[in-house]
Amino acid sequence: MNQLISKKVAALTGHIKVPGDKSISHRSLIMGTMAIGQSRISGLLEGEDVQDTARAMEAMGADISRDANGDWLVHGVGIGGLCQPEKPLDMGNSGTGARLIMGLVSTYPHNTSFIGDASLSSRPMRRVTDPLEKFGAEFQGAMDMTLPITVKGIGDPLPIEYEVPVASAQVKSAVLLAALNTPGKTTVIEPVATRDHTERMFEHFGVPIEITGSAITVTGQPELTARDMFVPTDPSSAAFPTVAALITPGSDITIENVGMNPSRTGIYTTLIEMGGDISFINQRLECGESVADIHVKYSPLKGTIVPEKRAPSMIDEYPVLCIAASVAEGQTVMRGLGELRVKESDRIAAMVTGLKASGVTVVEHDKGMTVTGAANIPGGALIKTHLDHRIAMSFLILGLRADSPVTVDDGTVIETSFPGFRHLMNELGANIGSNA
Ligand code: S3P
C-alpha cells in the first residue's frame, strides 16, 4: 500500500498529454494478434491492465515488443492461429482484459484459465459465459462464476444471435471476438448503444461487419493482415485533469489528442451543461476515431440531473463527476447506475462513503446517488480505494480544492490505467505527494 496525499493548491495551468485510451489499447493488442504480419501501435497505454493483455497475447503466440520511439510492434498469429497458454492468464485488475480474452479463446479447442486480483475475482463473469456457452464453450469456476475460471473452448463453434441484456461493451465485444473464429454470421443486438471501439477496429482490420440499427453482424474466419494503429489519449483519464481545472480557481489547461468518440464523451457534455468552460480545438479523425485538444478553464459549476440514457457514454466518469458535483451549486442527481456496483469496486458505495468522510452532503440510491454541492469542502479524510484506480484519482482531485488534505490508502492501483498521474498533475500545479 502506498498512501498518497493531495493538498489545496492555487491555479492549475499548462499543456499536458494523458496516456493512451485503455479500451482501444486492449483491442489493438488483441487485433494485432489476430492479424498476420507486423502491426505497429502508436500511443498504446502502458498501464498494468494493458500490459496484462499484452502478456496474455504473448502466452498465446504473439510476438510483442516496444521500439525505440515508444511504438509497440505486434507480430500476429492470424485468426485460428492462437496456441493454448501453458499457464493461467493473469488479468490482474482488468475486467476488460479478462472478458474480451475469454470471448476470444472460447472458440478455440483450448483450455484457458483466467486469474486476477481480489477486485477482479469478485466481479461477475456470467454476463460473458452465458453468451459464450451458446457458441458451445464450457466454463469451470465457482458457483457464482467469478475468477478463477477455466474456459473449455470449442473447436467447431456455431454462430449465434445474441441480445445483450446489460449495457456492456465488454459483453458485446466478448461475443464479437468469439465470432472471429466462428464460421458464418454471428449477430449481437445491443438495446443500449455502448462504446464501439471493437466495431471500429474490426472495420480498420477489414473484418466483414455490418451494422444495422442496434444489430452488429460479423462474418467469421476472415484472413486479416497487419495494420498500423494510433491510440488517442483516454477521455476517461482526461476527465480527471478536466475536473481538477474546473474546480480549482484560476485554472487554465489544455489536454492534447483526446479521443472524442461520441460513445465516450458524456462526461464533457454533462460538465458543459453544469457551466464548465470546456472547448474542443483542432478536431480531427485518426484511424477511424475522432480526436481533439481540450481547453478547460476554472468555472463556477451548477448541479444538474444527469439523463439516465447518457450513462453508457460516461459510465467510468461518475466518480469524478461526484467531485465536480461536490463544489457545484445545488444538487447533482445521478441515477440508472446499477452497473457502478460491479466495477473495480462498488463505486456507488465507495464514493458515498468517501464523500461523507470528506464532509460532502450525499445521498445513496440503489442505482445512483445525489450530491449537494458546497463552496467549501472540509476534506481531511483517509479514503479507502478498494483496489479501484478511479476512486483513488477522484479523491486526489477533491484534495486540490478541500480545506484539509485528502489521503487515499493506496495510490499504486492508479498504475492500472493512468501511469504518471501524480507527476502529470503536479506539472500542472497540483500538490499530490506520498504519505510515507
Ligand atoms: C470497457 C467497457 C466498460 C467500462 C470499462 C471499459 C471496454 O465496461 O466500464 O472501463 O473497454 O469495453 P462494461 O462493459 O462493463 O460497461
Side-chain angles (χ1 to χ4, degrees):
M1 292 271 204
N2 167 19
Q3 286 189 0
L4 291 180
I5 183 162
S6 171
K7 298 183 181 158
K8 192 167 189 155
V9 289
L12 302 175
T13 51
H15 272 67
I16 51 166
K17 234 184 189 164
V18 301
D21 188 283
K22 183 155 71 70
S23 294
I24 301 177
S25 293
H26 284 294
R27 288 157 171 84
S28 65
L29 289 167
I30 293 171
M31 290 308 291
T33 301
M34 290 296 97
I36 293 167
Q38 178 185 287
S39 295
R40 174 180 293 271
I41 312 172
S42 337
L44 189 83
L45 168 64
E46 296 182 350
E48 283 170 1
D49 280 9
V50 174
Q51 289 178 34
D52 287 330
T53 288
R55 278 190 283 270
M57 292 301 110
E58 284 176 325
M60 294 192 287
D63 183 1
I64 301 180
S65 58
R66 185 182 194 273
D67 76 5
N69 302 324
D71 288 349
W72 287 76
L73 307 173
V74 182
H75 281 266
V77 294
I79 289 174
L82 285 182
C83 32
Q84 177 173 291
E86 284 170 11
K87 289 192 289 193
L89 301 178
D90 186 348
M91 302 317 302
N93 188 256
S94 177
T96 307
R99 293 183 176 128
L100 266 54
I101 298 171
M102 282 171 82
L104 184 76
V105 301
S106 66
T107 49
Y108 288 76
H110 301 165
N111 289 341
T112 312
S113 297
F114 290 81
I115 57 173
D117 73 3
S119 156
L120 183 57
S121 302
S122 68
R123 297 182 67 185
M125 292 296 156
R126 209 178 293 281
R127 54 180 58 199
V128 285
T129 62
D130 275 353
L132 299 176
E133 275 172 354
K134 295 183 193 296
F135 285 96
E138 291 174 17
F139 297 87
Q140 280 175 350
M143 283 288 283
D144 63 351
M145 245 340 140
T146 50
L147 259 47
I149 288 175
T150 298
V151 181
K152 298 172 92 59
I154 173 101
D156 50 356
L158 295 171
I160 67 166
E161 183 174 309
Y162 187 70
E163 184 162 343
V164 186
V166 278
S168 169
Q170 292 177 358
V171 175
K172 168 179 68 176
S173 301
V175 175
L176 292 175
L177 289 166
L180 283 181
N181 199 31
T182 302
K185 287 182 188 285
T186 290
T187 298
V188 189
I189 299 151
E190 203 186 22
V192 182
T194 61
R195 64 190 70 192
D196 61 356
H197 304 300
T198 304
E199 297 90 306
R200 285 176 194 250
M201 203 159 282
F202 275 20
E203 271 160 10
H204 184 62
F205 273 87
V207 175
I209 177 167
E210 287 160 50
I211 304 177
T212 318
S214 59
I216 306 151
T217 301
V218 167
T219 306
Q221 300 188 327
E223 196 166 297
L224 305 184
T225 42
R227 290 273 185 280
D228 288 348
M229 286 166 277
F230 165 80
V231 182
T233 70
D234 197 321
S236 298
S237 297
F240 294 102
T242 298
V243 170
L246 286 175
I247 68 170
T248 308
S251 296
D252 187 332
I253 68 165
T254 302
I255 313 168
E256 293 169 16
N257 290 336
V258 184
M260 285 285 114
N261 181 317
S263 65
R264 297 287 300 282
T265 50
I267 183 67
Y268 298 98
T269 309
T270 304
L271 291 169
I272 291 168
E273 282 174 9
M274 291 171 77
D277 185 344
I278 301 176
S279 44
F280 304 100
I281 39 191
N282 194 13
Q283 298 206 31
R284 58 212 181 267
L285 205 64
E286 306 255 15
C287 284
E289 294 278 358
S290 39
V291 175
D293 302 333
I294 307 185
H295 182 208
V296 191
K297 290 188 199 164
Y298 165 74
S299 316
L301 299 175
K302 282 198 165 57
T304 189
I305 299 174
V306 187
E308 291 187 25
K309 67 174 184 352
R310 195 179 288 160
S313 70
M314 55 178 290
I315 194 66
D316 291 333
E317 283 66 73
Y318 285 93
V320 78
L321 178 63
C322 285
I323 304 304
S326 301
V327 300
E329 187 192 325
Q331 287 194 329
T332 297
V333 182
M334 295 162 267
R335 289 197 184 268
L337 304 176
E339 279 296 299
L340 289 197
R341 298 238 181 240
V342 291
K343 293 293 178 190
E344 284 81 333
S345 68
D346 175 342
R347 286 186 173 157
I348 297 177
M351 286 311 297
V352 167
T353 309
L355 288 174
K356 281 186 177 161
S358 308
V360 176
T361 305
V362 54
V363 176
E364 178 169 357
H365 313 300
D366 184 24
K367 295 183 179 171
M369 55 232 147
T370 296
V371 175
T372 304
N376 293 311
I377 305 297
L382 171 61
I383 305 294
K384 277 200 176 144
T385 51
H386 303 281
L387 287 176
D388 190 331
H389 52 134
R390 299 198 203 281
I391 301 298
M393 289 186 278
S394 296
F395 280 100
L396 291 170
I397 299 300
L398 185 68
L400 305 175
R401 170 74 188 257
D403 295 337
S404 301
V406 174
T407 308
V408 299
D409 66 353
D410 181 16
T412 51
V413 69
I414 295 171
E415 292 300 309
T416 60
S417 71
F418 198 152
F421 169 78
R422 175 176 151 192
H423 177 71
L424 211 67
M425 290 306 302
N426 287 348
E427 260 181 16
L428 289 175
N431 182 353
I432 301 175
S434 167
N435 197 30

Coordinates of all heavy atoms in Angstrom, one line a residue, residues 22-24 26-27 96 99-100 123 127 167-171 173 194-195 197 315-316 339 343-344 347 390, ligand 1:
K22 N -7.5 3.2 -22.7 CA -7.4 1.8 -22.2 C -8.2 0.9 -23.1 O -7.7 -0.2 -23.5 CB -7.9 1.8 -20.8 CG -7.7 0.5 -20.1 CD -7.6 0.6 -18.6 CE -8.9 1.1 -17.9 NZ -10.0 0.1 -17.9
S23 N -9.4 1.3 -23.4 CA -10.3 0.4 -24.2 C -9.6 0.1 -25.6 O -9.6 -1.1 -26.0 CB -11.6 1.0 -24.4 OG -12.3 1.1 -23.2
I24 N -9.2 1.1 -26.2 CA -8.6 0.9 -27.6 C -7.3 0.2 -27.5 O -6.9 -0.6 -28.3 CB -8.4 2.3 -28.3 CG1 -9.8 3.0 -28.4 CG2 -7.8 2.1 -29.7 CD1 -9.8 4.4 -29.0
H26 N -6.3 -2.2 -25.3 CA -6.6 -3.7 -25.2 C -6.9 -4.2 -26.6 O -6.4 -5.3 -27.0 CB -7.8 -4.0 -24.3 CG -7.6 -3.8 -22.8 ND1 -6.7 -4.6 -22.1 CD2 -8.1 -3.0 -22.0 CE1 -6.8 -4.3 -20.8 NE2 -7.6 -3.3 -20.7
R27 N -7.8 -3.5 -27.3 CA -8.3 -4.1 -28.5 C -7.2 -4.1 -29.6 O -7.2 -4.9 -30.5 CB -9.5 -3.2 -29.0 CG -10.8 -3.5 -28.1 CD -11.8 -2.4 -28.2 NE -13.1 -2.7 -27.6 CZ -13.3 -2.6 -26.2 NH1 -12.4 -2.2 -25.4 NH2 -14.5 -2.8 -25.8
T96 N -11.9 -5.6 -18.5 CA -11.9 -5.6 -19.9 C -11.0 -6.7 -20.5 O -11.5 -7.4 -21.4 CB -11.5 -4.2 -20.4 OG1 -12.2 -3.2 -19.8 CG2 -11.6 -4.1 -21.9
R99 N -12.6 -10.2 -19.8 CA -13.8 -10.6 -20.5 C -13.6 -10.6 -22.0 O -14.1 -11.5 -22.7 CB -14.9 -9.5 -20.2 CG -15.4 -9.7 -18.7 CD -16.5 -8.7 -18.4 NE -17.0 -8.9 -17.0 CZ -17.1 -7.9 -16.2 NH1 -16.8 -6.7 -16.5 NH2 -17.6 -8.1 -14.9
L100 N -12.8 -9.7 -22.6 CA -12.6 -9.8 -24.0 C -11.8 -11.0 -24.4 O -12.1 -11.7 -25.4 CB -11.8 -8.5 -24.5 CG -12.6 -7.3 -25.0 CD1 -13.7 -6.9 -24.0 CD2 -11.7 -6.2 -25.3
R123 N -15.7 -9.9 -9.5 CA -16.6 -9.3 -10.5 C -17.4 -10.4 -11.3 O -16.9 -11.5 -11.5 CB -15.8 -8.4 -11.4 CG -15.2 -7.3 -10.6 CD -14.4 -6.3 -11.5 NE -15.3 -5.6 -12.4 CZ -14.8 -4.8 -13.3 NH1 -13.5 -4.6 -13.5 NH2 -15.7 -4.1 -14.1
R127 N -22.1 -12.8 -17.2 CA -22.6 -12.0 -18.3 C -21.8 -12.3 -19.6 O -22.3 -12.1 -20.7 CB -22.4 -10.5 -17.9 CG -21.1 -10.1 -17.5 CD -20.9 -8.7 -17.1 NE -21.9 -8.3 -16.1 CZ -22.2 -7.0 -15.9 NH1 -21.7 -6.0 -16.6 NH2 -23.0 -6.7 -14.9
A167 N -26.2 -3.1 -20.4 CA -25.4 -2.2 -21.3 C -24.0 -2.4 -21.0 O -23.4 -1.9 -20.1 CB -25.8 -0.7 -20.9
S168 N -23.3 -3.2 -21.9 CA -21.9 -3.5 -21.6 C -21.1 -3.7 -22.9 O -21.4 -4.7 -23.6 CB -21.8 -4.8 -20.8 OG -20.5 -5.2 -20.7
A169 N -20.2 -2.8 -23.1 CA -19.3 -3.0 -24.3 C -18.4 -4.2 -24.1 O -18.0 -4.8 -25.1 CB -18.4 -1.7 -24.5
Q170 N -18.1 -4.6 -22.9 CA -17.3 -5.8 -22.7 C -18.0 -7.0 -23.1 O -17.4 -7.9 -23.8 CB -16.9 -5.9 -21.2 CG -15.9 -4.7 -20.8 CD -15.6 -4.8 -19.3 OE1 -16.0 -5.6 -18.6 NE2 -14.7 -3.8 -18.9
V171 N -19.3 -7.1 -22.8 CA -20.0 -8.3 -23.2 C -20.2 -8.4 -24.7 O -19.9 -9.4 -25.4 CB -21.4 -8.4 -22.5 CG1 -22.2 -9.5 -23.0 CG2 -21.2 -8.4 -21.0
S173 N -18.3 -7.0 -26.9 CA -17.0 -7.3 -27.5 C -16.6 -8.7 -27.3 O -15.9 -9.3 -28.2 CB -15.9 -6.4 -26.9 OG -16.3 -5.0 -27.2
T194 N -23.3 1.1 -26.6 CA -22.1 1.3 -25.7 C -20.9 1.6 -26.6 O -21.0 1.6 -27.8 CB -21.9 0.1 -24.9 OG1 -21.6 -1.0 -25.8 CG2 -23.1 -0.3 -24.0
R195 N -19.8 1.9 -26.0 CA -18.6 2.2 -26.8 C -18.4 1.2 -27.9 O -18.6 0.0 -27.7 CB -17.4 2.4 -25.9 CG -16.9 1.1 -25.2 CD -15.9 1.4 -24.1 NE -16.5 2.1 -23.0 CZ -15.8 2.6 -22.0 NH1 -14.5 2.6 -22.0 NH2 -16.4 3.2 -21.0
H197 N -15.6 0.7 -29.9 CA -14.2 0.6 -30.4 C -13.9 -0.7 -31.1 O -13.1 -0.8 -32.0 CB -13.2 0.8 -29.2 CG -13.4 2.1 -28.5 ND1 -13.3 3.3 -29.1 CD2 -13.7 2.3 -27.2 CE1 -13.5 4.2 -28.1 NE2 -13.7 3.6 -27.0
I315 N -19.8 6.0 -18.3 CA -20.0 5.0 -17.2 C -18.8 5.1 -16.2 O -19.0 4.9 -15.0 CB -20.3 3.6 -17.7 CG1 -20.8 2.7 -16.6 CG2 -19.1 3.0 -18.4 CD1 -22.2 3.1 -16.0
D316 N -17.6 5.3 -16.7 CA -16.4 5.3 -15.8 C -16.2 6.7 -15.2 O -15.3 6.8 -14.4 CB -15.2 4.9 -16.6 CG -15.2 3.4 -17.1 OD1 -15.9 2.6 -16.4 OD2 -14.6 3.1 -18.1
E339 N -24.9 -0.6 -12.9 CA -23.6 -1.2 -13.3 C -22.4 -0.7 -12.4 O -21.4 -1.3 -12.3 CB -23.3 -0.8 -14.8 CG -24.0 -1.7 -15.7 CD -23.6 -3.2 -15.6 OE1 -22.4 -3.4 -15.9 OE2 -24.4 -4.0 -15.3
K343 N -18.2 -2.5 -10.8 CA -16.9 -2.1 -11.5 C -15.8 -2.6 -10.6 O -15.9 -3.5 -9.8 CB -16.9 -0.6 -11.6 CG -18.0 -0.1 -12.6 CD -17.7 -0.6 -14.0 CE -18.7 -0.1 -15.0 NZ -18.5 -0.8 -16.3
E344 N -14.6 -2.0 -10.7 CA -13.4 -2.4 -10.0 C -13.7 -2.5 -8.5 O -13.1 -3.2 -7.7 CB -12.2 -1.5 -10.2 CG -11.5 -1.8 -11.6 CD -12.2 -1.1 -12.8 OE1 -13.4 -0.8 -12.7 OE2 -11.5 -0.8 -13.8
R347 N -18.7 1.3 -6.9 CA -18.3 2.7 -7.0 C -19.4 3.6 -6.3 O -19.0 4.7 -5.9 CB -18.1 3.1 -8.4 CG -16.8 2.6 -8.9 CD -16.4 3.1 -10.3 NE -15.1 2.6 -10.6 CZ -14.6 2.4 -11.8 NH1 -15.4 2.7 -12.9 NH2 -13.4 2.0 -12.0
R390 N -10.0 4.5 -10.2 CA -10.8 5.8 -10.4 C -11.3 6.4 -9.1 O -11.5 7.6 -9.0 CB -12.0 5.5 -11.3 CG -11.5 5.1 -12.7 CD -12.6 5.2 -13.8 NE -12.3 4.3 -14.9 CZ -11.4 4.6 -15.9 NH1 -10.7 5.6 -15.9 NH2 -11.3 3.7 -16.9
Ligands
S3P1 C1 -15.0 -1.1 -21.3 C2 -16.3 -1.1 -21.1 C3 -17.0 -0.6 -19.8 C4 -16.0 0.2 -19.0 C5 -14.7 -0.3 -18.9 C6 -14.1 -0.5 -20.3 C7 -14.5 -1.6 -22.5 O1 -17.3 -1.7 -19.0 O2 -16.6 0.4 -17.7 O3 -13.8 0.5 -18.1 O4 -13.3 -1.3 -22.9 O5 -15.2 -2.3 -23.2 P1 -18.7 -2.5 -19.2 O6 -18.7 -3.2 -20.5 O7 -18.8 -3.5 -18.0 O8 -19.8 -1.4 -19.1

